[in-house]
Amino acid sequence: MWRARRAKIDESKEMTPLEDDTTKADCGPVIALIGNRDHAEMRPICDWLSELLQADPQSLTVYSTIVGRLESANDLIPDLIVLLQGWSDEYSRIEILQLLAIAPLARVVVCAGAWCESDGRNRDLWPQAVRVPIWAATERLHHEWQLITGQHDRSPLLWSASKEEVFAFDNTPVPLGVERLTILVDSPDPAYRRFLIDVLGAEGHQLVADSPSLVLFDADPWDSGRVDALNAVRHRWPLAEICVVSDEASPICANELQEFGVTQIRHKLGFHLQRGSSCIW
């Protein structure tokens, strides 16, 4: 499935220690890693790549900047571009467009560090489909690698993908079980609460106001009012499982919610119940 092509290696290019012109003749998928690897938050990405390529380290080429890759015009066209971004505007629009142009069929994952995680709301330099917060990047890379190596038959994520399509690519259904549940929905948003009740009822679950086996709890906005409400749920129905739906799905938020006895956390954007399979996204 990959498109590795042999080319003369530019001697001015930055290389990994094990990489030379004689070891890349028959390599598998080619990966280009771009960015500053010295940032501590980027270490999980580098570790993932190192573990992945233990048997074939020469498939990885490292560049400190996008310009470094652009200047290495004779290099192999990468199948996967992994870009580390530590702060907003680290890369210019021109650099980004030129990078995407030299490998239009490559899979691209931009690992956005904490200082630029919100760029998707106030900047449009990267297609939203390729930007991934650093805490979710290894999972995205795993999905992309499965596609490149033919381990998965899912459709690739297009650079023009919508936010909903991005969510569906990164998340798989999580089974609740085949039994019908008694569910209580707790949300401060009346319209959203009605939506959840309609979806769950259509699936055959019983919606109740007391003694639920599962509480579906809307954590937005996560303020003192919702904290008190979640505490009240936990104390009133100590044996019930609590599934939180929220627009905020970062590890920090997840850790805080788990302290309240929450057993499942689902992103609100992609929540739905698959008919006939009892799966919550």
Side-chain angles (χ1 to χ4, degrees):
M1 184 174 178
W2 50 78
R3 309 169 308 282
R5 289 177 282 273
R6 188 73 193 106
K8 180 180 178 181
I9 303 299
D10 187 340
E11 293 181 356
S12 66
K13 170 177 66 71
E14 300 176 45
M15 296 182 183
T16 53
L18 296 179
E19 185 178 2
D20 58 46
D21 191 57
T22 62
T23 56
K24 297 197 66 157
D26 298 308
C27 64
V30 177
I31 303 176
L33 175 63
I34 302 173
N36 188 347
R37 294 169 293 163
D38 294 333
H39 289 301
E41 64 179 345
M42 302 301 176
R43 177 49 49 192
I45 307 302
C46 297
D47 291 344
W48 182 88
L49 288 169
S50 296
E51 183 177 352
L52 177 72
L53 299 174
Q54 281 182 352
D56 190 20
Q58 64 270 17
S59 294
L60 175 68
T61 308
V62 179
Y63 309 87
S64 59
T65 63
I66 290 180
V67 173
R69 176 60 185 89
L70 296 175
E71 291 177 345
S72 303
N74 292 328
D75 286 358
L76 291 169
I77 301 299
D79 298 279
L80 174 63
I81 297 174
V82 182
L83 190 135
L84 311 177
Q85 182 170 356
W87 63 89
S88 300
D89 304 320
E90 182 175 358
Y91 307 104
S92 71
R93 185 181 298 275
I94 292 177
E95 289 175 336
I96 292 170
L97 292 176
Q98 290 177 335
L99 176 66
L100 297 178
I102 65 172
L105 299 180
R107 309 306 304 153
V108 180
V109 178
V110 178
C111 308
W115 288 105
C116 54
E117 188 172 322
S118 64
D119 282 4
R121 293 192 292 271
N122 49 39
R123 288 173 173 80
D124 61 352
L125 296 179
W126 293 104
Q128 66 176 355
V130 307
R131 288 188 71 262
V132 185
I134 192 68
W135 51 267
T138 53
E139 187 66 21
R140 167 67 72 83
L141 286 168
H142 177 69
H143 290 164
E144 296 287 8
W145 189 251
Q146 286 183 319
L147 275 174
I148 292 171
T149 55
Q151 300 176 48
H152 204 292
D153 60 358
R154 72 167 70 188
S155 299
L157 184 64
L158 302 178
W159 293 350
S160 59
S162 66
K163 193 173 183 180
E164 290 80 6
E165 290 170 325
V166 173
F167 181 91
F169 183 84
D170 287 331
N171 296 271
T172 53
V174 179
L176 275 181
V178 296
E179 77 279 6
R180 297 299 182 251
L181 304 172
T182 55
I183 301 177
L184 181 142
V185 176
D186 187 318
S187 174
D189 183 340
Y192 186 63
R193 181 176 181 275
R194 185 72 258 167
F195 162 75
L196 293 177
I197 289 174
D198 289 345
V199 171
L200 294 165
E203 180 64 17
H205 297 289
Q206 181 182 0
L207 282 301
V208 298
D210 199 4
S211 303
S213 60
L214 174 71
V215 176
L216 195 58
F217 186 87
D218 179 2
D220 299 329
W222 186 238
D223 54 18
S224 59
R226 296 313 287 158
V227 170
D228 291 342
L230 184 55
N231 263 321
V233 165
R234 180 76 286 168
H235 285 92
R236 185 173 182 182
W237 301 292
L239 300 181
E241 290 191 49
I242 301 177
C243 176
V244 161
V245 288
S246 173
D247 282 328
E248 177 59 67
S250 72
I252 295 176
C253 180
N255 291 337
E256 186 175 359
L257 288 169
Q258 287 170 354
E259 293 177 359
F260 289 90
V262 172
T263 53
Q264 300 183 56
I265 302 172
R266 299 286 171 259
H267 198 290
K268 189 179 291 183
L269 172 67
F271 175 86
H272 76 282
L273 207 61
Q274 281 192 328
R275 291 184 178 277
S277 61
S278 295
C279 289
I280 281 186
W281 282 69

